Amino acid sequence: MADEGIFIGTGGGQPQILNLKRANRHGLIAGATGTGKTVTLQGIVEGFSAVGVPTFVADVKGDLSGLCMAGSATSKTHEIFAARAAEIGQTDWAYKDNPVQFWDLFGEQGHPIRTTVSEMGPLLLARLMDLNEVQEGVLTIAFHVADKDGLLLLDLDDLQAMLVSCGNRAEELTLTYGNISKQSVGTIQRSLLQLRSQGGDHFFGEPALDLEDFIKCDDSGRGIVNILAADKLMASPKLYSTFLLWLLSELFETLPEIGDPDKPRLCFFFDEAHLLFNDAPKALVEKIEQVVRLIRSKGVGVYFITQNPIDIPDTVAGQLGNRVQHKLNAFTPRDQAAVKSAAETFRANPKIDVTTAITELKVGEALVSLLQPDGAPSPVERTLIKAPASRVGPATPQERAVMIQTDAIGTKYDTLIDRESAEEILASKQAEAAAAAAAQSAQAEADKQAAIAAKEQARQQVIIDREAARQAREAERAAAAKAREDAKPSFAEKMVESAARSAATSVGRKIAGQLGGQLLRGLLGGLFKGR
């Protein structure tokens, strides 16, 4: 390592130095499988750590975990590396370890890394769940409504509850935000289930990652090497790529502007970089390009590691000033196009036929072009890459466990915190609404039963009143009958009356007889007198 930068190797009889003041201008390490990309990456990370620059490394195959252990003279690569160090004049080469912090989205091989659903945002989540524009629009509405209603979206349960709420309020929300179809909500819910099946629910929650825990040095001033265990994560490529992009975006939004510092504040190394761009929509590629282009001024360098340089979109590749190109095969038309494309990206060197050299490089050799102090790329040189000082190969599970238990992070992220958020609040509101509805239903039922009872009581009263009226009429008729009965003469009275009538009749007849006799005698007497 030279004073002004990181020693990469020797090419053209000169040391190839990665200038620290230009290290935040990003870089590319490319080459076919087995050509030495990992060793190159390991050596550069060691160099950054030695000068006090923290790094983040995505460990796809698991072998970069060896950065935490010093190499060994008994390893099978010792003779090769010792010979290489001697060949390139690396007189200070010696085995040593690096300060390492292990991370793992699943919390199995390192400290858990979590973020909240709100911090991830609808754009990256839509990418993660492979949503179309309509579904992404519905997801964005759910985020907006949650923000307006003061509901925290921390984990996938919160997002799921929020989507259910928006679906139930679709008619109300459509008038304000646009159409919310139950079909779109259902599709997003199914995508959430798929995300859970890939382990995505481990990534969302609290405590969320504090980015300052990435940007640290140890007691001796060496930059911390943050290693993300990505071997299992690679089985979920969308989660892997979305996580890396989220991490860059968070750094971009969080870190202050510092221009071009004397050395980077942090450097990222993204292995299997093509996963960031495979099937990515245009909007997402533009987002990556924006972050890569602007994060330089935050003092962050981004280095992509990939097998084929044409995996990186031109808009992003144009931002990568420091380049290390290992051997490429030219067996297929696509390989040949990659060779031609890679050759055209280097500053020409009349001593080297780049197109031919790319296909002839040995393991541990690379074509190197680095930014010079004035910002111009150096002419490409065929370079023998320096030997690493740390172990080439993975750390054992026991060694990894010791590093996890003794690093500065401690147990800060180990225990999941589940505080009140959208799910709990919406569930509480739903329970209150259900209780209110139940109370209203119970009151309505009570009112119904009371009405039925009142109606029955009225009916019974009518029956009682009718019966009372009937009985009154019966009593009245009985009284009238009794009165009539009472008005009738008794038997004795009838006998007296009868006797009286009989006597009267007899007297009358007698009187009448007497009167009649007298009248008859008078008439006859008068008649005879007249004669």
Side-chain angles (χ1 to χ4, degrees):
M1 184 186 70
D3 292 339
E4 68 273 16
I6 298 171
F7 176 57
I8 301 295
T10 299
Q14 298 293 326
Q16 298 298 308
I17 304 297
L18 176 59
N19 191 283
L20 287 175
K21 290 185 178 181
R22 303 300 175 189
N24 64 332
R25 302 302 177 92
H26 315 313
L28 173 68
I29 302 173
T33 299
T35 57
K37 295 193 304 296
T38 300
V39 170
T40 300
L41 167 60
Q42 197 163 331
I44 295 176
V45 169
E46 290 174 353
F48 276 124
S49 179
V51 298
V53 177
T55 53
F56 172 89
V57 183
D59 187 10
V60 172
K61 299 183 287 294
D63 48 4
L64 288 173
S65 60
L67 280 160
C68 70
M69 303 301 297
S72 172
T74 61
S75 66
K76 61 182 181 181
T77 58
H78 173 71
E79 292 185 2
I80 298 173
F81 290 153
R84 186 186 300 182
E87 183 177 353
I88 64 177
Q90 193 178 0
T91 57
D92 60 349
W93 178 71
Y95 289 125
K96 60 181 178 180
D97 61 5
N98 300 279
V100 168
Q101 292 177 166
F102 287 105
W103 303 89
D104 184 358
L105 261 65
F106 303 103
E108 297 173 355
Q109 302 182 72
H111 300 291
I113 293 183
R114 301 186 188 92
T115 187
T116 64
V117 169
S118 294
E119 289 176 344
M120 175 66 77
L123 175 63
L124 293 184
L125 270 176
R127 151 69 172 166
L128 186 56
M129 295 189 289
D130 201 20
L131 304 181
N132 61 30
E133 290 184 3
V134 174
Q135 294 153 4
E136 182 182 338
V138 172
L139 185 64
T140 302
I141 291 173
F143 271 76
H144 185 79
V145 173
D147 184 60
K148 182 179 179 181
D149 293 348
L151 299 174
L152 294 176
L153 297 179
L154 302 180
D155 54 26
L156 295 185
D157 290 336
D158 291 328
L159 180 57
Q160 191 167 7
M162 194 67 222
L163 287 167
V164 171
S165 175
C166 288
N168 293 335
R169 299 169 58 192
E171 185 174 349
E172 167 198 347
L173 297 175
T174 295
L175 297 175
T176 304
Y177 302 106
N179 187 46
I180 301 176
S181 69
K182 293 189 181 298
Q183 291 84 355
S184 294
V185 172
T187 300
I188 299 172
Q189 296 283 36
R190 289 191 295 273
S191 297
L192 283 176
L193 290 177
Q194 294 174 357
L195 181 57
R196 287 180 187 274
S197 70
Q198 296 179 10
D201 52 343
H202 294 281
F203 179 46
F204 295 100
E206 291 185 313
L209 176 67
D210 182 356
L211 293 176
E212 288 297 325
D213 287 329
F214 273 3
I215 310 173
K216 287 184 176 180
C217 294
D218 68 0
D219 295 339
S220 62
R222 295 182 300 171
I224 297 293
V225 180
N226 297 279
I227 299 178
L228 174 70
D231 48 350
K232 181 178 178 180
L233 188 58
M234 288 297 294
S236 307
K238 284 189 180 296
L239 181 59
Y240 172 72
S241 60
T242 306
F243 162 72
L244 296 182
L245 180 55
W246 164 80
L247 202 52
L248 278 180
S249 300
E250 282 296 297
L251 284 167
F252 172 70
E253 294 172 5
T254 303
L255 296 179
E257 292 276 348
I258 58 174
D260 288 321
D262 291 337
K263 61 183 180 183
R265 190 176 184 188
L266 178 69
C267 281
F268 271 75
F269 294 84
F270 291 161
D271 204 356
E272 300 293 342
H274 64 280
L275 295 176
L276 280 170
F277 308 103
N278 281 358
D279 303 321
K282 181 180 178 182
L284 196 65
V285 173
E286 291 175 350
K287 176 69 173 177
I288 298 173
E289 176 193 357
Q290 177 193 38
V291 171
V292 170
R293 177 165 44 86
L294 299 179
I295 203 171
R296 171 196 62 78
S297 61
K298 310 280 187 171
V300 177
V302 181
Y303 291 75
F304 296 97
I305 299 92
T306 187
Q307 294 185 18
N308 200 323
I310 63 174
D311 291 333
I312 310 296
D314 291 342
T315 54
V316 177
Q319 307 294 325
L320 311 181
N322 300 294
R323 293 174 175 261
V324 179
Q325 177 67 63
H326 288 271
K327 178 186 175 183
L328 288 175
N329 298 316
F331 301 140
T332 67
R334 187 173 188 275
D335 292 339
Q336 294 166 5
V339 169
K340 181 179 179 182
S341 175
E344 291 174 350
T345 60
F346 288 109
R347 179 179 174 182
N349 185 338
K351 300 177 183 178
I352 300 176
D353 181 354
V354 176
T355 304
T356 302
I358 288 178
T359 61
E360 296 177 344
L361 294 169
K362 299 181 294 183
V363 175
E365 268 193 315
L367 295 173
V368 176
S369 177
L370 305 170
L371 294 179
Q372 301 176 93
D374 62 0
S378 63
V380 62
E381 292 287 357
R382 186 166 178 167
T383 302
L384 187 60
I385 303 299
K386 74 173 183 177
S390 56
R391 179 190 296 173
V392 176
T396 67
Q398 294 78 13
E399 292 167 341
R400 183 189 291 266
V402 170
M403 294 299 298
I404 294 172
Q405 293 169 5
T406 59
D407 64 18
I409 300 300
T411 60
K412 179 177 180 179
Y413 299 104
D414 293 349
T415 303
L416 178 66
I417 298 174
D418 187 14
R419 63 184 173 121
E420 185 180 67
S421 50
E423 181 196 17
E424 291 80 9
I425 294 174
L426 290 173
S428 176
K429 289 182 178 179
Q430 185 176 6
E432 290 176 359
Q440 184 176 4
S441 177
Q443 184 61 45
E445 182 63 22
D447 292 344
K448 178 180 178 182
Q449 293 301 323
I452 293 174
K455 184 177 180 181
E456 179 64 19
Q457 184 178 4
R459 189 180 72 83
Q460 292 296 331
Q461 187 62 46
V462 168
I463 293 173
I464 293 171
D465 292 344
R466 286 177 180 175
E467 181 63 20
R470 186 189 65 79
Q471 291 178 0
R473 287 194 300 272
E474 288 292 330
E476 185 178 347
R477 283 196 295 270
K482 185 175 184 302
R484 287 193 300 272
E485 190 65 28
D486 291 344
K488 290 180 180 181
S490 65
F491 178 76
E493 290 174 335
K494 287 181 179 180
M495 291 301 292
V496 171
E497 182 181 357
S498 177
R501 280 197 303 269
S502 296
T505 302
S506 178
V507 172
R509 284 194 191 122
K510 187 175 181 180
I511 293 173
Q514 290 176 353
L515 290 175
Q518 291 176 0
L519 178 60
L520 181 58
R521 283 190 301 269
L523 287 174
L524 287 179
L527 182 59
F528 286 120
K529 273 183 180 183
R531 285 186 180 173

